[in-house]
Amino acid sequence: MVITSKMTSDSQKQISMALLIHMLACAFGLGSWVAVNGLWVELPLIVNALPEGWELPSYLTVIIQLANLGPLLVTLMHKLCPGRLKEHVVIYSILTIGALSCILLAFFWDKTTVVAGASHSTAFFIITFFLSLVDCTSSVTFLPFMMQLPAKYITTYFIGEGLSGFIPGVVALAQGVGMAKCVNSSQSVGNHTGESSWSLHTEYLPPNFSSSVFFFILAAMMCVSMAAFVALNRLPQTYELSSEKLVPHTVASISYGLDNPASESDGGGVKHQGEGAVQNSPLLAGPKHSMYQLAFIYVLVVWVNAATNGLLPSVQSYSCMPYGNLAYHLSAALASVANPVACTIAMFFQIRSLVFLGVLTVLGTGFGSYNMAMAAMSPCPLLQGSVVGETIIVLSWLFFTGTLSYVKVMVGVILRDRSHSALVWCGAAAQMGSLVGSITMFPLVNVFRLFESGDVCNTECPL
């Protein structure tokens, strides 16, 4: 009787410990892409306050691409000084930098300086770079650390990684958007005539809470992630971890992520949480593909990442702002929510048919083409000023993000099951696509000015 009671007590302790580790793994995953995703969903509110205006998203895509220097430096450090790079030190460092950057962003996001005779958001760009550096580097450090735990906790970590994009999107929806109204303003004409001229200017009403509060919420999420990591670091002494067979050391070591940084991230840095779910099962001997099929798969990788991480994010403001702040706000927030939802669906409903993925890519490209066309027509896109137009542009961005996110995950699953090197090349192709997309759009938006911004109150569009 005493033995049975003791076994029951031990079993309850194991269950409680397992639940605790699941919670910690999920909380740890919150810090993976929370900062970058938070920036994107907050853009509709800050794009009107910063001097770059509608060009701001194109700057962010380039800054995030530059932040991929982080994984590169970590990889070089591992290669040049093997054994010296301590995994937990790197994670502590990037989580600390992430939390501090979010706090600094809350205070300095709207501070500007004069550079080359023009006002620029220098503080915002510098802090954004460090935030992107944190998130990009997390791709090659967080997952290798989690590989040291029993395999059942990896899925929970990926749920937390998905929540790193989902929660900022929900918070942004709760924040609401500052509705715009047109206000008459007078300006004196001449010195002594007393005459004045009237003009309209756009005035934005405040949201439910400020952008500074939003950035403090992001900082709190980073702190939660750090606290979870501290707790996980102390758990190897527990019965739960000592009694179960861990992932093999060759996989658990930090070199797993550092030798193949592309295998944990598509390299774009823009809203990819949950895509690491393709790592959820061990490598299998995958089906054979012809050279033409492989070429098709890698073309999909390049194109999908170019579209989702470079081409379309650069012009989202031009695509949505003519329909109003609410349309832009909903497009950004719901698209951020659609990404982890699509990745979660891909974990449970896997359709590997290349024909299906090709059709889905064409469908997603169609939505993206509509978004790009509306950006090109800015400030007078189709159905401007109507509820139908606003609804269509929001749904178009939602389905664009959702369909292509599913394709990215499934392509990763296919290449993972083929071979380890195929997955590495997948990451390289994703990085190349993201980089080409960002570099292509930056001069088109900021140098050649192919996209035109407008003012809701003063832009006259033909009926």
Side-chain angles (χ1 to χ4, degrees):
M1 193 72 178
V2 175
I3 296 176
T4 303
S5 177
K6 183 177 181 180
M7 291 177 61
T8 303
S9 177
D10 289 342
S11 177
Q12 291 176 344
K13 288 181 179 179
Q14 290 182 38
I15 293 173
S16 299
M17 182 60 66
L19 291 175
L20 174 62
I21 299 175
H22 277 300
M23 292 176 61
L24 292 176
C26 183
F28 179 51
L30 283 179
S32 55
W33 286 98
V34 60
V36 167
N37 285 292
L39 286 177
W40 281 106
V41 298
E42 192 65 9
L43 275 183
L45 290 181
I46 64 180
V47 74
N48 294 309
L50 297 182
E52 289 76 16
W54 294 15
E55 298 174 358
L56 191 61
S58 64
Y59 282 94
L60 289 189
T61 57
V62 175
I63 290 173
I64 293 171
Q65 289 303 313
L66 293 176
N68 280 290
L69 290 173
L72 178 61
L73 291 176
V74 171
T75 303
L76 290 176
M77 181 67 180
H78 173 73
K79 292 293 186 182
L80 298 177
C81 305
R84 289 191 176 183
L85 189 63
K86 302 300 182 182
E87 183 180 82
H88 66 282
V89 174
V90 177
I91 297 178
Y92 275 128
S93 299
I94 63 177
L95 286 175
T96 302
I97 293 173
L100 291 176
S101 296
C102 288
I103 293 173
L104 290 175
L105 204 58
F107 290 106
F108 300 107
W109 71 269
D110 57 347
K111 306 301 180 183
T112 60
T113 57
V114 177
V115 179
S119 181
H120 289 284
S121 309
T122 310
F124 179 78
F125 290 150
I126 293 174
I127 299 173
T128 297
F129 173 78
F130 282 101
L131 281 176
S132 304
L133 197 67
V134 169
D135 288 2
C136 293
T137 308
S138 72
S139 299
V140 297
T141 53
F142 283 21
L143 188 60
F145 170 79
M146 287 302 301
M147 288 296 184
Q148 301 176 50
L149 302 182
K152 63 182 180 181
Y153 300 115
I154 305 298
T155 301
T156 311
Y157 166 78
F158 287 131
I159 293 175
E161 194 175 66
L163 290 176
S164 71
F166 183 84
I167 292 178
V170 172
V171 172
L173 289 174
Q175 183 182 18
V177 61
M179 301 300 293
K181 66 177 182 179
C182 299
V183 179
N184 282 323
S185 61
S186 61
Q187 184 176 5
S188 299
V189 179
N191 296 326
H192 306 288
T193 60
E195 297 179 0
S196 62
S197 63
W198 291 88
S199 64
L200 292 175
H201 73 275
T202 307
E203 185 176 291
Y204 294 95
L205 301 180
N208 296 329
F209 52 87
S210 67
S211 295
S212 294
V213 173
F214 181 86
F215 292 131
F216 277 124
I217 293 175
L218 297 187
M221 293 179 66
M222 295 295 293
C223 291
V224 168
S225 180
M226 180 182 292
F229 177 67
V230 172
L232 286 171
N233 247 341
R234 299 176 180 271
L235 286 176
Q237 300 175 358
T238 65
Y239 178 82
E240 169 69 19
L241 297 184
S242 61
S243 63
E244 293 194 29
K245 182 179 180 180
L246 301 183
V247 178
H249 178 70
T250 54
V251 177
S253 66
I254 191 171
S255 62
Y256 177 84
L258 297 177
D259 287 340
N260 308 290
S263 65
E264 275 85 44
S265 169
D266 64 8
V270 180
K271 302 179 259 192
H272 343 98
Q273 68 288 351
E275 291 166 22
V278 300
Q279 299 282 349
N280 192 29
S281 60
L283 295 179
L284 304 173
K288 299 294 182 180
H289 294 94
S290 68
M291 291 299 296
Y292 294 106
Q293 289 176 320
L294 280 177
F296 174 73
I297 291 173
Y298 283 113
V299 167
L300 284 186
V301 173
V302 172
W303 169 248
V304 167
N305 283 277
T308 57
N309 298 333
L311 297 176
L312 271 301
S314 298
V315 296
Q316 187 172 17
S317 53
Y318 295 94
S319 174
C320 300
M321 279 296 286
Y323 294 99
N325 265 34
L326 180 60
Y328 188 10
H329 181 75
L330 291 177
S331 297
L334 293 179
S336 181
V337 171
N339 186 285
V341 170
C343 295
T344 302
I345 292 174
M347 290 177 63
F348 299 100
F349 301 97
Q350 299 185 356
I351 303 177
R352 307 189 183 201
S353 168
L354 295 184
V355 174
F356 173 78
L357 294 180
V359 171
L360 204 60
T361 301
V362 171
L363 183 62
T365 302
F367 289 119
S369 298
Y370 178 82
N371 299 337
M372 182 66 75
M374 296 305 100
M377 297 174 67
S378 175
C380 298
L382 298 175
L383 302 175
Q384 184 193 34
S386 69
V387 176
V388 174
E390 295 176 16
T391 303
I392 291 176
I393 196 65
V394 171
L395 292 177
S396 183
W397 274 98
L398 179 65
F399 289 124
F400 163 74
T401 304
T403 53
L404 295 190
S405 293
Y406 183 90
V407 172
K408 280 194 277 190
V409 175
M410 290 314 305
V411 167
V413 169
I414 292 171
L415 294 176
R416 174 206 65 185
D417 289 349
R418 178 177 175 82
S419 69
H420 182 269
S421 62
L423 195 60
V424 174
W425 282 107
C426 174
Q431 176 62 34
M432 182 180 70
S434 302
L435 184 62
V436 169
S438 301
I439 293 178
T440 299
M441 292 307 299
F442 187 81
L444 297 181
V445 174
N446 300 283
V447 179
F448 299 105
R449 310 285 181 179
L450 296 185
F451 300 90
E452 184 180 349
S453 59
D455 188 313
V456 176
C457 296
N458 294 306
T459 301
E460 296 182 4
C461 296
L463 299 177

